[in-house]
Amino acid sequence: MSWMTGVRARLRELIRRGDAEQRMAEEIAFHLEMETCRHRELGCDPAEARRRALVAFGGVERHKEASRDGRRIPFLEEFARDLRFALRSLAKAPVFAGTAVLTLALGVGASTAVFGLVSATLLRPLPFPEAERLVTLYQQREAPGVESRASRWSYPEFTALRATTATVAQLAAFYADDVNLSGAAGEPVRVRVEMVSASYLVALGVRPLLGRGFLPHEDSIAGSHPVAVLGAAVWERDFGADSAVIGRPIVVNGVPLTVVGVMPVAFRGLTGGAELWIPHAMAPAVYYADHLTSDQHFLTVIGRLHRGATMERARAELAVTGARAVAAAHDASGDGGAARWTPTLVSLDEARRDPSDVRAQLVLAGAVSFVLLIAAVNLSGLLLARTVARAGEMAVRVALGASRRRVVQQAVVESGIIAVIGGTLGVVLAAGGLGLLAWFAPPVVIGGSGPFAQLDPFAAPAVDWRVAAFAGSLALGAGLLAGVVPAMRITRGDLARSLKLGARGSSAGVGSLRRPTLLSGAAVAQVACALVLLVGAGVLLQNFHRLSNLESGVRGANVVSFRVSAPERRYGGAAAASLLERLLARVERVPGVLSASVGRCLPSLDCSSTMLYRAGESTDDAPIVGRHYVGPDHFRTLGIALRHGRGLTTADRADAPRVAVINETAARRFWPGEDPIGKRIWFGSGGGFASPDSLTEIVGVVADVRYGAPGSAVEPDVYTSYHQFAWPTTMVIVRSSGNPLALVPALRRAVADVDPALPIYDVRTVAERDAEGVARERFATVALVLFATLGMLLASVGVYGVMTYSVVQRRRELGIRMALGCSPAAVQRLVIRQGLVLAATGAAIGLTLSVGLTRGLSSLIVAANTAEPLILVAVTLILLSVTLVTCYLPARSAARVDPVRTLAAE
């Protein structure tokens, strides 16, 4: 056996230098076969013959590798040795290492970015002490024949509720609005204010940065304590961050207030954008004249559970004592009727999660999981191809005495290095991706948008320890799993056969549909996942196109709108109508203005609503309708068609009979088969509840306008003249003869001519507001299209790698085919056909999975349809075309195989 000693010595030298020469691998395979045959001739069965051949070939070295001077090598030294070997091995294959790292980084980065968005909404705790005790209270209105709905609170209801709760402490109410603030410089600016109870900051556990919060007596008597707390932004902008600001005066809507505190920079209220806080007792003077007695439901109520109290106990108490208090408040206001109001509560953490936003995030998370799966399968295919290519090397190591554990451990260390580098790069990409999400995503996706989901700033995505831990776990899990499976597979097979495969090449490592392997399975899985993503992107594109092209009912070209908010303290009652009349008259004199109107709503915006009561009918089941306070030229300005009767005119003034115009939906729903002209109605707000003074006659019917969310159903709407139902906070709508934005400076001067202390804000064209209305759908569509594109690119890279490896492994076979007369074109077709068969199989699987995906999208995305056959055919053709291009390059390389050189090498 002297030849074996020489072979071992030569092989040890080759391994030490890191070489893997093909001839040596062939020689070792040959001698292993001879040794196996010799033992079989001696009467051993095949398994025993192979075992004895391996022992004879490498038994001595196995002992020497496992020990040193009779002692086992320490694990850390063994790991360090594997680490150095893996780094050298990757350095010798920079293309493979770079491709593997980038593939993993893209999958981990995309997944981590979306996880950061989901984590901020679902996992990040609220930034308040003992946040688990914070709750939000609301009430369910249930009436015969009317769908149950959640409602906020009126101030009388809140007062009655506050006196009855025992399990909820520090009950506080708040609502947000915009006010005109004159600070140290005296120039009016528009800021967001929260009108709050004195216990608001105490309930949240937030301490002012300077000064103090509100005292209980400052929220007890209307108008008796003119105090305010500044936000950090106002403090820095208007007072230069002066610490002596406490006690300084400010003017809010013309009312002087004294600064008593400054809030921390990170706190902007539960509404997410507050810069000023004022106690409820000052609200009548600053904003709403009837705030403390109004029966309108505009207050959000929060509280903190007593220590030891549970949510179930609090709900049970509210169902009894709270219900009695609320019923008494409704009876006192005359709003009892047959409706039943049931108070309840949820945790503040749960309340911030708007269901529609969670659904949008789940769609993104599901989409990015496919991208991660493609990246993981791609990485596994790369590592498997590399492992198969190194099968001879691994088999030689086993023959020289390396245990299977050591070979697998080396593969794990190598894939672990790829995982660490790829995961680190993925976190960097995720940080950039989160910044892109924060910039690109509309606020309705990043934070809550519902009436009880008012914690937007706390849901802003950021890279925190949860995101970093997720990225690390994802990278290590995907990298290690992708490395272990190929190593376990290749070391489990026939050693001599592995040596032959590594030396001569074969198609066995790639496989086909008839003989599937991990590599062929990886290619099929990547194509299937990519097609699922493409189908989902196609469905959302179709849905977005449909929503963007829905007829809103108005002609928005050359129409611009802006808001003005005059203080009701100065412009209440008839003064509001006079202000709006002067404002419209001055705006219409601006050159280029064709017509102008006022209103509180446009398509894609949330509108004012009220209860509609019909004369001569029961008030128990009064429906909710949209309420619009508009000017005489409103329908002409927005291009709303008049269907029946007449519109509003300048003669419909405060001293004239009250009139209203309804839309076609209201006419069909409330007076089916009847002529609504001449019918008399009144409203639950504006002029008194159920008062003869508020009776209004219907004089016209106009075409439907689609207000609210895109794709939502048209609801009943009622239009009244601002002269008869005046409201000083409104939107001015202007139709121009040219570019409406060019008129904005002149419009600003026109408003200043009427009242210099009245700033305009929220200036946008109707087209811009329509675009904002589909912002959620646009974000989800663009994000899914990007993920689908990334998935398709990763899948094409994976298929390209598999086919390239297939050509390398089959070089000998292809050379023989060409030597026997096969043309280069036929070889090209052979390789392309193999790739297309794998892609077609993956596409078939992907189409099957897409059926379930589109059904899920239709339940998660409002108004989303299932995939049409045209979408399925289109995305399949796109994917197969990309695969065809991907397979062409390896096929061209296969056609250039020189049969003479290939056979000579054999």
Side-chain angles (χ1 to χ4, degrees), residues 256-555:
L257 303 175
T258 301
V259 177
V260 297
V262 177
M263 296 307 296
V265 176
F267 184 73
R268 301 196 66 185
L270 291 183
T271 55
E275 298 178 293
L276 185 69
W277 289 266
I278 299 174
H280 280 305
M282 290 304 302
V286 170
Y287 208 81
Y288 292 108
D290 61 347
H291 168 75
L292 300 182
T293 59
S294 172
D295 56 7
Q296 297 188 51
H297 298 86
F298 56 90
L299 292 177
T300 300
V301 176
I302 64 169
R304 183 177 287 272
L305 295 178
H306 281 292
R307 296 184 185 277
T310 62
M311 298 285 289
E312 291 73 17
R313 178 183 170 190
R315 289 193 184 101
E317 180 196 63
L318 278 176
V320 180
T321 60
R324 285 199 298 263
V326 171
H330 281 282
D331 292 340
S333 65
D335 188 25
R340 186 167 65 92
W341 300 80
T342 305
T344 187
L345 56 82
V346 296
S347 69
L348 191 61
D349 186 56
E350 178 183 348
R352 68 173 171 142
R353 303 188 185 104
D354 185 81
S356 58
D357 301 326
V358 173
R359 288 195 296 267
Q361 293 172 7
L362 289 177
V363 170
L364 294 182
V368 81
S369 65
F370 279 98
V371 176
L372 177 63
L373 181 59
I374 294 173
V377 172
N378 200 337
L379 178 62
S380 181
L382 288 171
L383 291 173
L384 180 59
R386 177 173 168 80
T387 303
V388 172
R390 297 171 62 189
E393 173 192 337
M394 292 184 176
V396 168
R397 292 182 178 277
V398 172
L400 288 177
S403 64
R404 186 185 182 196
R405 179 191 65 83
R406 291 287 293 115
V407 174
V408 173
Q409 181 176 310
Q410 286 182 349
V412 168
V413 170
E414 183 174 306
S415 62
I417 293 174
I418 295 175
V420 170
I421 300 176
T424 303
L425 182 58
V427 171
V428 175
L429 294 177
L434 283 174
L436 184 64
L437 283 175
W439 172 79
F440 176 68
V444 294
V445 174
I446 294 184
S449 59
F452 304 107
Q454 304 179 20
L455 300 172
D456 300 0
F458 309 133
V463 177
D464 53 17
W465 68 267
R466 293 180 183 83
V467 175
F470 175 81
S473 302
L474 208 61
L476 288 175
L480 294 179
L481 185 62
V484 168
V485 173
M488 295 285 288
R489 175 182 176 275
I490 204 66
T491 58
R492 189 177 58 228
D494 186 352
L495 178 59
R497 184 171 177 271
S498 297
L499 284 168
K500 287 182 183 179
L501 292 178
R504 298 183 179 182
S506 169
S507 62
V510 178
S512 62
L513 293 182
R514 296 180 180 178
R515 189 177 49 196
T517 64
L518 285 178
L519 274 179
S520 62
V524 169
Q526 290 178 79
V527 173
C529 292
L531 190 131
V532 169
L533 283 177
L534 287 172
V535 170
V539 170
L540 289 191
L541 276 173
Q542 177 194 31
N543 181 60
F544 177 69
H545 180 267
R546 184 177 59 82
L547 292 180
S548 300
N549 290 277
L550 282 176
E551 291 294 334
S552 63
V554 305
R555 291 187 291 108

Side-chain angles (χ1 to χ4, degrees), residues 705-719:
V705 176
R706 194 181 301 276
Y707 300 105
S712 59
V714 176
E715 298 294 339
D717 289 300
V718 179
Y719 302 86

